[in-house]
Amino acid sequence: MRANTWLTLVVILAVSVVVAVCAGHQWADPLDVARAFFGDDSLRGRLLVEWRLPRVLAAAASGALLGIGGAVYQGVFRNPLAEPYLLGSAGGAALGATVALLVPLGLPQSLVLALLAFAGAWGATVVVMGIARLAGSVDAAGLLLAGVAIAAVLGALRSFLMLALSDDTVNLQVVLSWVLGGIQTPSWPGLGLLATATVAAIAIALPLARGLDALGLGETMATGFGHDVRRLTDVAVLVGSGIVAVAVVFSGLVAFVGLAAPHIARWLAGPLHRRLLPASALVGATIVTVADAIARSALPPAEIPLGLVTAVAGGPFFILLLARQLRA
Amino acid sequence: MSIVADDLVLRSGGATIIAGVTLALPATGGVAVIGPNGAGKSTLLRLLAGVVAPTGGAVTLDGTALAATPRTERARRIGYLPQQFTPHWDLTVADLVRLGAERTGPVAADRLGNVVADFGLSGFADRRWSTLSGGERARVLLAMVLAVDPDILFADEPGASLDVRHRLELVHMLAERSRRRLCVAAVHDLDLAFRYFDRVVLVAAGRIVADGPAEAILDDRRLDETFGVRFRRLKTEDGTILQAVQRPTVHRQPIAAATATWRSN
């Protein structure tokens, strides 16, 4: 492999970013974008560079995080249907974030949001793993079942909180739009933070590649090849949920990207994780960049929640995968 | 002395699967582990290979407890060939062999190419697992496990799912290997066990029943008792062939008892 594959992935992402910067309820010409970059000081140019570009880059970074997170999850659970949203970690992050948005805790909301989303994602994942181990089934099926159950409980809790805590002073619209997923236009420091988190996620996930590859041979083979399967599973699940938590903090609940990106990446780059993880990041970035562009420009002047766009596109994809797996 | 098991015990879910096995294996040679279904052959192999940890006793590798041996060191010195293997992802032959070779660290491309060639996989290095025949899969699995040329190979029913030609080929390869390395295999096919291995360990109910040179175990009456059959030992010019005959007493006893119960009613 296949320098071509990487080049293609990077070029497609770059093209998507340019198109996404052009897209909006007012479409811009790529030439306008270029001019805006090189010092066009008109209002329109400044809007493109200071408003639209950061949002597009944030979408790409969130997508990259979801892609890597999904690839790590699928690797550790050895199940192509594994997804952060099926395993409780995204649900946990969403519950934490709902509390942060609805309960006044006297701290800056952005900080509380990040912390509670993290806590929710880690907590939910640890509970899921605990339940699976208690039930004596640490295998993929046990974890997935526990994850589905916990995700349902967390979703119900979140809905209850939204009903119970909303009053005239709390804007339910804010929570709802966040739950439905959406990229907020970040400040430049915020974008820097997100970019750092994305690079860190790749740097932390890549050393897991060898272990995830071995896990893909089965637990017995992985043990025979010198891996501590239990420790490897623990570490990979925690890394995966940490990555998902970051994505959830920045983009709310965006479903199916963590599922679809690794699949597409596997078709393009093969199933070896040293290639799959970076490829999933690139594919995930492309998907969310495009989905966010559609969300912004499909029904002007309104904006469709990003989570709805990915769900509408991702649902059929999931069904297709399920059908393929059932046939196999 | 290369690998030693000292009073090995494995309990799982209230059942005792291995009930105290003590065994010393030399640095070279072929050892067949035989026994009826559920005797604990596979489990014993897993314990010896360090793939499963015992609940009692210990395995030592050249005087060091296997549990205290660094994992990478264990993976380099011991190869474990499972009975069944299905990768979760549809990897290519080259990638599978690479994963086997890389268990001790990064591997140069040319060395990887040598391993692929040594196991006769050059023709289909880029094929995916799902497209391989049973015989090809067995060779790929063997290449993965032996890619780092481990000192000891534990093979769980090698070739059990293969046709007779491929099974013979595989067992022959293990026998060749046992001239310079230790090969321990759980073997279902008794004729293969006695023909290709120097030493035979007979296992039943998690214990070693008999252990000795193949020729000695072949004539041992405990073989018949352990398998619950009577063996006819047919001498041929290629050695002795075992033909199992049902022991008449095994079935008649309960039927007679049942009849007696019926009469008394």
Side-chain angles (χ1 to χ4, degrees):
Chain A
M1 174 166 160
R2 298 168 264 235
N4 275 342
T5 313
W6 293 114
L7 192 66
T8 312
L9 284 173
V10 170
V11 167
I12 291 176
L13 175 59
V15 170
S16 312
V17 167
V18 172
V19 171
V21 173
C22 296
H25 58 89
Q26 278 198 320
W27 282 74
D29 205 88
L31 280 177
D32 290 345
V33 175
R35 241 176 275 136
F37 252 112
F38 298 106
D40 171 13
D41 225 17
S42 69
L43 180 63
R44 197 175 147 74
R46 290 227 312 276
L47 270 179
L48 282 178
V49 171
E50 280 166 28
W51 195 248
R52 219 178 256 175
L53 180 66
R55 170 156 177 174
V56 170
L57 294 179
S62 300
L65 286 169
L66 288 171
I68 308 171
V72 170
Y73 272 112
Q74 287 181 15
V76 71
F77 295 116
R78 283 156 282 153
N79 189 320
L81 298 181
E83 210 226 355
Y85 290 81
L86 293 177
L87 293 168
S89 54
L95 182 64
T98 306
V99 172
L101 290 170
L102 290 178
V103 183
L105 292 170
L107 289 165
Q109 199 175 61
S110 54
L111 181 72
V112 177
L113 185 70
L115 284 178
L116 287 187
F118 254 120
W122 289 83
T125 314
V126 167
V127 168
V128 165
M129 288 175 64
I131 292 174
R133 288 209 168 115
L134 217 65
S137 123
V138 205
D139 63 346
L143 283 164
L144 272 174
L145 281 176
V148 169
I150 289 298
V153 172
L154 291 173
L157 269 177
R158 195 185 67 220
S159 302
F160 173 74
L161 279 181
M162 284 168 65
L163 285 174
L165 292 179
S166 65
D167 53 36
D168 295 341
T169 58
V170 181
N171 192 351
L172 206 58
Q173 193 76 32
V174 174
V175 184
L176 196 63
S177 79
W178 189 85
V179 164
L180 290 175
I183 307 290
Q184 309 299 321
T185 299
S187 60
W188 287 111
L191 187 62
L193 196 66
L194 179 56
T196 311
T198 309
V199 173
I202 297 177
I204 292 169
L206 266 183
L208 293 174
R210 220 170 65 87
L212 292 176
D213 282 334
L215 266 186
L217 303 175
E219 295 191 1
T220 307
M221 284 295 267
T223 311
F225 283 179
H227 293 276
D228 182 341
V229 168
R230 181 164 177 161
R231 204 178 137 259
L232 186 63
T233 307
D234 283 354
V235 170
V237 167
L238 291 183
V239 167
S241 56
I243 292 172
V244 169
V246 178
V248 168
V249 165
F250 278 95
S251 59
L253 292 185
V254 181
F256 287 117
V257 178
L259 176 78
H263 271 278
I264 299 170
R266 213 171 277 118
W267 290 332
L268 297 171
L272 271 194
H273 284 85
R274 68 201 71 174
R275 303 194 285 251
L276 180 66
L277 292 171
S280 299
L282 288 171
V283 173
T286 308
I287 293 177
V288 176
T289 304
V290 171
D292 182 56
I294 293 172
R296 282 185 286 116
S297 57
L299 288 177
E303 191 172 302
I304 310 170
L306 174 61
L308 296 192
V309 176
T310 58
V312 165
F317 187 83
F318 187 83
I319 292 166
L320 193 80
L321 284 180
L322 199 63
R324 272 172 54 125
Q325 207 185 35
L326 290 180
R327 232 183 310 142
Chain B
M1 209 50 67
S2 119
I3 198 160
V4 177
D6 182 26
D7 198 20
L8 224 45
V9 174
L10 184 76
R11 290 194 186 86
S12 171
T16 304
I17 298 156
I18 296 294
V21 165
T22 299
L23 183 67
L25 299 169
T28 62
V31 180
V33 179
I34 61 170
N37 289 338
K41 306 184 290 288
S42 297
T43 309
L44 179 57
L45 247 59
R46 286 160 172 260
L47 288 171
L48 290 170
V51 174
V52 171
T55 47
V59 179
T60 48
L61 178 61
D62 286 337
T64 310
L66 198 57
T69 310
R71 288 171 188 285
T72 317
E73 168 76 1
R74 190 201 71 211
R76 185 181 66 75
R77 299 209 46 200
I78 300 178
Y80 172 74
L81 190 78
Q83 189 178 346
Q84 274 172 352
F85 168 69
T86 314
H88 290 277
W89 311 114
D90 201 10
L91 292 153
T92 63
V93 170
D95 282 344
L96 284 166
V97 174
R98 175 200 294 271
L99 293 183
E102 277 181 349
R103 65 184 189 255
T104 53
V107 176
D110 56 333
R111 207 175 78 78
L112 208 62
N114 288 344
V115 177
V116 167
D118 285 351
F119 287 89
L121 307 173
S122 302
F124 49 101
D126 290 326
R127 294 240 320 265
R128 292 196 178 274
W129 175 266
S130 61
T131 69
L132 302 179
S133 72
E136 290 166 341
R137 287 179 179 188
R139 249 192 294 164
V140 171
L141 182 57
L142 194 68
M144 290 170 68
V145 173
L146 296 183
V148 296
D149 196 15
D151 299 333
I152 306 168
L153 173 69
F154 291 102
D156 193 0
E157 309 225 353
S161 58
L162 297 180
D163 62 39
V164 70
R165 179 172 74 92
H166 287 105
R167 184 161 63 230
L168 264 183
E169 229 172 65
L170 186 61
V171 173
H172 203 84
M173 202 143 48
L174 296 185
E176 279 293 310
R177 188 178 171 79
S178 67
R179 291 170 204 266
R180 54 184 188 94
R181 294 274 196 265
L182 176 62
C183 285
V184 184
V187 186
H188 215 68
D189 183 330
L190 296 179
D191 289 318
L192 281 183
F194 287 110
R195 192 150 57 133
Y196 285 101
F197 293 84
D198 321 314
R199 177 172 160 189
V200 171
V201 177
L202 177 61
V203 178
R207 285 194 174 81
I208 293 180
V209 177
D211 175 5
E215 316 83 71
I217 303 292
L218 184 60
D219 289 328
D220 198 317
R221 286 293 137 191
R222 284 175 294 185
L223 193 63
D224 307 54
E225 287 160 23
T226 304
F227 281 95
V229 295
R230 191 167 63 79
F231 284 114
R232 284 203 192 107
R233 286 148 172 96
L234 308 174
K235 308 287 178 197
T236 72
E237 54 203 51
D238 283 333
T240 306
I241 290 174
L242 291 172
Q243 187 188 46
V245 187
Q246 261 188 2
R247 282 212 287 202
T249 48
V250 173
H251 287 294
R252 213 164 270 173
Q253 208 79 34
I255 292 170
T259 318
T261 323
W262 177 74
R263 279 203 184 129
S264 71
N265 281 341

